[in-house]
Amino acid sequence: MKKLFIGCFLILLLVGCGNKTENRVSVEVSPVTVAVGIGKIVPQGGVSKLASPVAGIVVEIAVATGDKVKSGDLLLTLDNTDALLALSEINSRLVTQQKSIQSAELMKEQGLTRLREKERKLNDARELFDAGAVTGENVRNLQNDYDLEKQGQEKLQNDILLQESQLREIVSQKNMRSEELSRTSLRAPMDGIVLDVLPKKGEAVNRYETYMMLAPDAPLIVQAEIDEMFSNRLALGQSCEIRVAGNPQPVAQGKILSISPDLKKKSLFSDSGQDLQDRRVREIEISIDKDTNLLIDTKVECMIHLN
């Protein structure tokens, strides 16, 4: 009986192991059809960080956060006292130079009149010399006077050309001063919405320092990052569900508009950078099919339906 009991136990054990092996082999893994990415709402083209072309003290702020502006609208004014003085000085030099040229032109006209008169007298003297009415000395004296007057006219003409060249240089300097003055009035480079005004009235702004954040008047999109595991399965036009982080219900639908050609380090909502796994991501842009009142920089989750 003991041997029979042991034999039955071994048979049951082998059958059980065979069933487990059979079940394990028959399990099939379903392919992943959805990739989840983390993104944020941004205007198409991105937010512009406006930089000041000159340094100065803020004397006027013409807009506030949330204002809509048109291209060319005044945003901020810097102190322009030095620029105004420089432009006033160059305008005075310009007027003086113009008067100098006018005076030289008048002297040139008077000299031409004298030159024509001396030329007439010289021609008359030559005719009289041929007739024997005057001596050669008289002709030579008149010729000398004519040559001196002609040289004076040539010198005066060269002086006018030099003064005109100086005038063009002053005009160029005036244009430069006018441009410097215009740069103290900082204007919107495009239509958009003011997101943030950084300096306050009376504060200094350095050259090339960001003074304002401006969102262009463009459709909102999602800028997202997809894990490198799914990077090769992304394609333009793939549909996507957009969810606000923490809410399982989709707030919008969209499609992939663009895909980066390479893998990058995580950048959106990155923490301290001490991730245990050094994984890369592929950046994509997703359209939003309707106005969902989502705010710029809202964190969202993107459910990409892979092909």
Side-chain angles (χ1 to χ4, degrees):
M1 287 295 294
K2 185 176 182 181
K3 291 182 179 180
L4 180 61
F5 177 77
I6 293 174
C8 292
F9 176 77
L10 291 175
I11 292 172
L12 292 175
L13 181 63
L14 291 174
V15 172
C17 291
N19 290 336
K20 289 183 179 179
T21 303
E22 183 178 353
N23 291 336
R24 185 166 58 248
V25 173
S26 64
V27 172
E28 294 183 359
V29 178
S30 300
V32 177
T33 59
V34 176
V36 180
I38 302 298
K40 64 179 180 180
I41 304 297
V42 297
Q44 194 166 21
V47 174
S48 296
K49 298 179 179 180
L50 303 185
S52 174
V54 295
I57 305 297
V58 178
V59 295
E60 179 186 358
I61 299 176
V63 296
T65 300
D67 287 352
K68 292 184 178 181
V69 296
K70 295 291 185 181
S71 177
D73 285 354
L74 180 65
L75 302 176
L76 188 145
T77 303
L78 303 178
D79 180 60
N80 57 12
T81 303
D82 293 341
L84 283 173
L85 290 175
L87 183 60
S88 177
E89 179 186 0
I90 205 71
N91 280 330
S92 298
R93 289 178 55 195
L94 181 62
V95 172
T96 300
Q97 190 66 21
Q98 289 173 335
K99 290 183 177 179
S100 296
I101 293 177
Q102 292 174 358
S103 178
E105 292 284 355
L106 180 60
M107 292 177 62
K108 178 183 176 181
E109 290 297 326
Q110 294 173 349
L112 285 175
T113 301
R114 292 194 302 270
L115 183 64
R116 286 192 290 267
E117 179 63 19
K118 291 183 178 182
E119 184 179 15
R120 184 189 64 80
K121 289 181 178 181
L122 177 60
N123 292 332
D124 291 344
R126 285 172 177 171
E127 293 177 359
L128 293 173
F129 176 76
D130 292 339
V134 296
T135 63
E137 183 69 20
N138 290 335
V139 175
R140 286 191 293 273
N141 289 337
L142 291 173
Q143 181 68 53
N144 186 53
D145 289 344
Y146 174 79
D147 291 342
L148 289 175
E149 189 66 38
K150 188 175 181 180
Q151 291 176 4
Q153 281 298 105
E154 291 176 352
K155 181 180 182 302
L156 187 57
Q157 178 62 32
N158 290 333
D159 290 343
I160 292 175
L161 293 176
L162 177 61
Q163 292 189 41
E164 288 177 342
S165 176
Q166 293 173 344
L167 178 63
R168 289 191 293 270
E169 182 180 350
I170 293 174
V171 170
S172 177
Q173 292 177 358
K174 177 185 176 181
N175 293 336
M176 183 178 65
R177 299 302 183 189
S178 298
E179 177 65 20
E180 290 177 353
L181 178 61
S182 68
R183 289 182 177 181
T184 60
S185 298
L186 307 183
R187 300 183 178 275
M190 57 190 169
D191 297 352
I193 300 176
V194 177
L195 298 183
D196 195 9
V197 181
L198 302 181
K200 295 180 176 59
K201 189 173 181 179
E203 292 183 347
V205 175
N206 296 323
R207 190 177 186 185
Y208 304 138
E209 179 183 357
T210 299
Y211 67 91
M212 190 170 295
M213 306 290 288
L214 184 66
D217 185 14
L220 295 181
I221 62 172
V222 179
Q223 182 180 356
E225 295 177 343
I226 305 298
D227 191 273
E228 63 180 336
M229 180 185 301
F230 308 103
S231 60
N232 291 330
R233 299 182 61 186
L234 298 174
L236 296 177
Q238 286 177 333
S239 61
C240 172
E241 292 180 359
I242 303 169
R243 303 176 181 178
V244 176
N247 185 356
Q249 297 299 321
V251 295
Q253 303 290 327
K255 293 183 179 180
I256 296 181
L257 296 175
S258 67
I259 306 173
S260 65
D262 58 345
L263 295 174
K264 299 179 173 63
K265 292 182 178 180
K266 295 180 180 180
S267 60
L268 298 176
F269 309 106
S270 59
D271 297 321
S272 61
Q274 298 176 352
D275 295 335
L276 297 179
Q277 293 182 343
D278 183 19
R279 300 191 66 84
R280 300 277 176 160
V281 294
R282 196 171 186 186
E283 294 181 354
I284 62 173
E285 291 183 350
I286 303 170
S287 64
I288 300 177
D289 61 358
K290 62 181 179 179
D291 184 7
T292 57
N293 296 320
L294 291 172
L295 300 178
I296 294 175
D297 277 344
T298 300
K299 184 177 180 180
V300 294
E301 295 176 350
C302 308
M303 314 295 291
I304 310 295
H305 296 281
L306 304 174
N307 295 333

